Amino acid sequence: MSRPARPFGRVISLSHVHDPATTPIFPGDPEFRAEVVATIDDDGYYLRYVHQGEHTGTHWGAPIHFRADGLAAHELDPEDLVLPAVKVDVREQCAAAPGYLVTVDDLRAWEALHGRIPDGSAVIAWTGWDAKWGRPEFTGRQPGFALETLTWLLHTGRLGERGALGIDTFGPDGADPTYAVSKLLYGAHRISLECLAGLAELPETGAWIVAGGAVHRDGSGSPATIFALLPQAPP
């Protein structure tokens, strides 16, 4: 029996495999561990008790993460987690300067090639840090977004009424200890998609992001399986 036709092409995962042995932990975050609590031999089924923070591994963050008056995970609309995506390749800049911050000029250069960033997009920076996953250098000085870049995205409507910033590092702030980008992003009722993987397969434009994960009451976010629905190939 054939599968019904679908209005999109391939589905790819933008999530790392969560594994206590290899998943980098943001400094100060809870330990990630998994404990076997039932086995098939002893109990007839296999079950683990997983201990991790809400922002462990590939994850999304809700506004309450940095705003006491922000929406918690259970208060988001489903549409907040389903967004058109654009990928901005800044690997060359980040290889030359690990603390590189994505600039407005980077986005204007992207638009010169691909057209205007669609309103309400998840703007995803491909820094190359996804290739460092599981290695000590992943947790070193990381790139992010410049504050003026996020301000431009918000003021020009490119993040729409929802939208997101996405990145393959711990978060959009880079090395900024004040988390200014995150505070502005969440204060504007947007989310972040962090520790993304598989960005080599994500096209520059045309895909849609679907962010899964458990929705906890009063949650600040969730470890997630994030999928990209790619556009259909032309006939």
Side-chain angles (χ1 to χ4, degrees):
M1 182 180 296
S2 62
R3 301 176 68 179
R6 59 191 187 187
F8 52 86
R10 287 196 304 131
V11 179
I12 63 172
S13 173
L14 301 184
S15 296
H16 291 284
V17 174
H18 289 200
D19 181 349
T22 58
T23 296
I25 302 297
F26 186 80
D29 274 10
E31 178 188 3
F32 178 23
R33 65 185 191 276
E35 172 189 354
V36 176
V37 295
T39 66
I40 292 174
D41 287 343
D42 293 339
D43 306 283
Y45 61 93
Y46 172 60
L47 180 67
R48 296 191 305 169
Y49 178 24
V50 178
H51 311 247
Q52 62 181 333
E54 291 178 320
H55 292 251
T56 296
T58 302
H59 64 278
W60 50 265
I64 199 174
H65 186 42
F66 278 103
R67 297 276 304 202
D69 60 347
L71 297 180
H74 76 281
E75 297 172 313
L76 295 174
D77 293 328
E79 290 86 353
D80 290 318
L81 302 174
V82 181
L83 302 166
V86 303
K87 180 182 75 174
V88 182
D89 186 349
V90 288
R91 288 175 297 160
E92 183 176 347
Q93 297 94 311
C94 296
Y100 185 79
L101 299 177
V102 178
T103 67
V104 175
D105 284 345
D106 290 326
L107 301 188
R108 286 177 171 149
W110 186 95
E111 291 190 330
L113 293 173
H114 305 289
R116 190 182 189 278
I117 294 171
D119 291 353
S121 290
V123 178
I124 296 173
W126 186 19
T127 73
W129 250 246
D130 53 347
K132 303 175 187 286
W133 188 258
R135 307 206 306 262
E137 55 265 38
F138 183 89
T139 57
R141 184 175 176 83
Q142 294 188 337
F145 286 84
L147 183 60
E148 70 170 0
T149 304
L150 174 57
T151 301
W152 181 77
L153 286 167
L154 291 170
H155 287 179
T156 60
R158 284 165 170 79
L159 290 191
E161 295 182 359
R162 302 185 187 278
L165 290 184
I167 197 164
D168 51 0
T169 68
F170 279 133
D173 297 286
D176 176 15
T178 71
Y179 307 108
V181 170
S182 287
K183 289 175 181 176
L184 178 59
L185 180 73
Y186 291 138
H189 183 125
R190 306 310 197 279
I191 66 167
S192 61
L193 307 169
E194 303 174 5
C195 293
L196 295 175
L199 294 179
E201 293 190 85
L202 183 69
E204 278 68 23
T205 188
W208 279 75
I209 296 294
V210 180
V215 176
H216 297 287
R217 185 170 299 278
D218 298 325
S220 68
S222 179
T225 301
I226 298 176
F227 294 108
L229 310 181
L230 274 54
Q232 288 183 328

